[in-house]
Amino acid sequence: MDPLALARWQFGITTVYHFFMVPLTIGLSMMVAWFHTRWYRHRDEADLRLTKFFGKLFLINFAMGVVTGIVQEFQFGMGWADYSRFVGDVFGAPLAMEALVAFFLESTFLGLWIFGWGRIPEKLHLATIWAAAIGTWLSAYFIIAANSWMQHPVGATYNPETGRAEMTDIWAVLTNVTTLAAYPHVIAASVMTAGLFVAGIAAWYLIRRDPGDPDRRGMRYAMRFGLWLTLAASAVVIISGDEQARIMFDQQPMKMAAAEALCETEEGAGFSVFAVGNVDAECDVRSLVIPGLTSFLADRDFNATIPGVLDLQEEYSELYGEGDYRPNLIVTYWSFRAMMGFGFFGMGVAVVSLWLTRKGRALPTGRWMTPLTVFTMLTPFLGNAFGWIFTEMGRQPWVVAPNLDGDLKIALLTENAVSPSLSTTEVAISLFGFAAVYGILAVVEIFLLTRYVQAGPDSTMFALPVDHPWGDSDRDDDSGHDDHDRDDHDGDTPPDRGSPTDADDEQFAFAY
C-alpha cells in the first residue's frame, strides 16, 4: 500500500472517530443548559439532578472531543503538508477564529460552570453554561465554514508565484452558500443525536429502576423531552438535507450522480432505495427506484435531466485533463443510504416512543427493550459518521473541489495534497499509533460513560445539596419565584453549614 492510501486511511479513521464526539457535545450542551435553566426557574430537585447527571456525561464527552481534535491538527501537518501549504492562507482563518473566539468562549465558560457551583451568583452561573453552549455551536460554524470552502472554494484567488490559494474576502468564506446549507443540517443532526442519547439513557433507567426510585419522574421528563427534541430536529435535518441536495447538484454533480450510482445521464432520474449487485462495476443494479425523485431533489422538477457518472467523467477529462474523476461508487452510494436509514430509524423510534408513553403511560418493559434502547442511541452516531464519510468521499478525487463559478486554479487533487517526503513505513507507524491511542481512548470513554450512567444521578449529587444556599440573592430580585427552600436564611450566608470549607472545595472539584 502506498503512502497516499495509508494517509487517507489515517485521515478517515481519526476524523470519523473524532466526529463521534462532536455531535453529542453540540447537542448535549444545549440540553444541559436547558435542564439548568429549569432548575433555576422552578427549584425542582429533579431538574438539578438531571443537570448534574447529564452535565457530567457532557464533560466526559467534551474532554474526549478535545483530545481527539488535537490529533487532527497534528495529522494535517504530518500527513498533508502540501494540502496545508496550498489552503493555509484561507483554511487557517476560520480555524483561527474557532480557536480564538469559539473555543475560548466554550472552554472558559465551561470551566466557570464546572467550578462555579456555589461560588458565583446563580444567575451568572446559569449564564456560563449558556455561554459555553453558544461557544460550542459557534465553534461548529467555523469548522463547517472551513470544510465548506473545500467543497466550494469562494473568496480567494490563486497566486502563481506562491502556488497557493490566498484569501480575498473573509466574509465570502464565512457566508459561503455551502456553509449556510450545511450548518443547520449538522446542528440539527447533533441535536437529534443528543436527544436520542438522553432519551435512551432515561428509558434505560425507567426500565431498570424500581417504581419508587426518586429519579423516575425526572428521567421520564428527560426521555420525553429528548424524544420531542429528536422529532423536531429530524424535521430540520430533512429540510436542510433537501436544500443540500439541490446545492450539491449545482456545485458537485459528480457527487450527486455517485450517490445514486447513476452511470448514464437520465431525464426524470429516479431515487434508488437499495441495490443488488456491485454498483461500482455495473449500471443496472439499482433496485426499488422511486421514479423522478432524484430529479426533483436536484432541481425541483421530476423531469429534470441528471448527468451520469460516465458522462461527467468524460466532461471532466476535457476540462481538467486526463484522470479518473469518479469517487468510489460503493462507498458513496451505501454511505448515503446508511446516513438516511439510521436517521429515519431514530425518527421512527421517537414517534413510536412518544405514542406509547402518551398521557402518563408507562414505557414497555419487555426484554427486547434494553437492546433496542442501546441500539437506538447508537443510530444517530452511525448516521452522522456515514454522512461525514459521504461528504468527504463523494468529493474525491479532489481534496479541494473546483468551483466552476470561481477561480478554476483553486483546486487540489488528493494525490497532490499528501506530504511528499512521507514513506510508507512512516505513515504506517503513525497510522497504527493513532489507531492504538484512539482504541484506548474509546475504551476509556465507554468505561467512564457506562460507569456514571450505571451509578445514576446519585453519583453527581453529593457535591451540591438541593437546598444549596449560596448565591441566590439575585433570584429574589429578578425571577419573582418563591424560594421555599430558603425560608430559614437570607440567601447570602448559610446559617447551618457556614462558609465553604476545604472539604467542600474537594467535593466540588471531584464532582466534575
Side-chain angles (χ1 to χ4, degrees), residues 463-480:
L464 183 64
V466 174
D467 57 345
H468 159 57
W470 301 303
D472 243 354
S473 56
D474 56 335
R475 290 189 72 245
D476 292 336
D477 297 329
D478 300 316
S479 68

Side-chain angles (χ1 to χ4, degrees), residues 486-506:
R486 297 188 296 111
D487 290 338
D488 296 333
H489 53 79
D490 60 9
D492 292 322
T493 305
D496 297 329
R497 295 193 56 186
S499 300
T501 63
D502 292 341
D504 293 322
D505 291 345
E506 293 175 2

Side-chain angles (χ1 to χ4, degrees), residues 186-398:
V186 172
I187 290 295
S190 300
V191 172
M192 188 178 174
T193 302
L196 284 177
F197 179 80
V198 169
I201 290 175
W204 185 81
Y205 261 93
L206 294 174
I207 294 169
R208 296 176 65 91
R209 292 296 179 96
D210 297 331
D213 187 274
D215 287 313
R216 287 186 65 87
R217 181 172 62 87
M219 285 299 179
R220 179 179 173 80
Y221 167 78
M223 181 189 69
R224 287 185 59 82
F225 177 64
L227 292 172
W228 277 115
L229 208 57
T230 298
L231 210 55
S234 300
V236 179
V237 167
I238 293 173
I239 295 171
S240 57
D242 176 66
E243 178 64 13
Q244 277 194 296
R246 189 183 61 77
I247 291 174
M248 184 170 63
F249 174 68
D250 290 334
Q251 297 177 352
Q252 300 181 59
M254 180 65 91
K255 184 188 289 189
M256 186 79 179
E260 280 302 305
L262 189 68
C263 293
E264 304 289 347
T265 299
E266 288 186 16
E267 181 179 342
F271 179 86
S272 169
V273 178
F274 65 94
V276 177
N278 183 3
V279 297
D280 201 28
E282 305 174 44
C283 294
D284 58 352
V285 295
R286 300 190 304 145
S287 304
L288 193 58
V289 176
I290 302 174
L293 183 56
T294 296
S295 290
F296 181 79
L297 293 175
D299 202 28
R300 299 293 188 271
D301 181 358
F302 286 103
N303 297 314
T305 299
I306 304 299
V309 170
L310 299 179
D311 294 313
L312 287 170
Q313 164 64 25
E314 186 175 342
E315 178 185 335
Y316 287 3
S317 295
E318 294 177 359
L319 189 60
Y320 305 119
E322 291 299 320
D324 188 353
Y325 298 97
R326 298 170 299 175
N328 187 310
L329 295 191
I330 296 176
V331 174
T332 49
Y333 180 88
W334 286 112
S335 60
F336 188 55
R337 274 140 196 85
M339 173 189 69
M340 291 191 298
F342 284 120
F344 281 118
F345 179 84
M347 185 174 65
V349 168
V351 172
V352 173
S353 300
L354 284 170
W355 173 257
L356 293 175
T357 57
R358 69 190 186 282
K359 298 180 179 178
R361 287 175 171 81
L363 189 70
T365 56
R367 297 180 60 182
W368 50 272
M369 275 299 294
T370 298
L372 176 62
T373 300
V374 174
F375 177 74
T376 302
M377 280 193 291
L378 294 177
T379 55
F381 292 95
L382 295 173
N384 285 320
F386 280 112
W388 193 243
I389 290 171
F390 168 71
T391 300
E392 299 302 290
M393 288 293 289
R395 192 178 61 227
Q396 297 299 318
W398 304 100

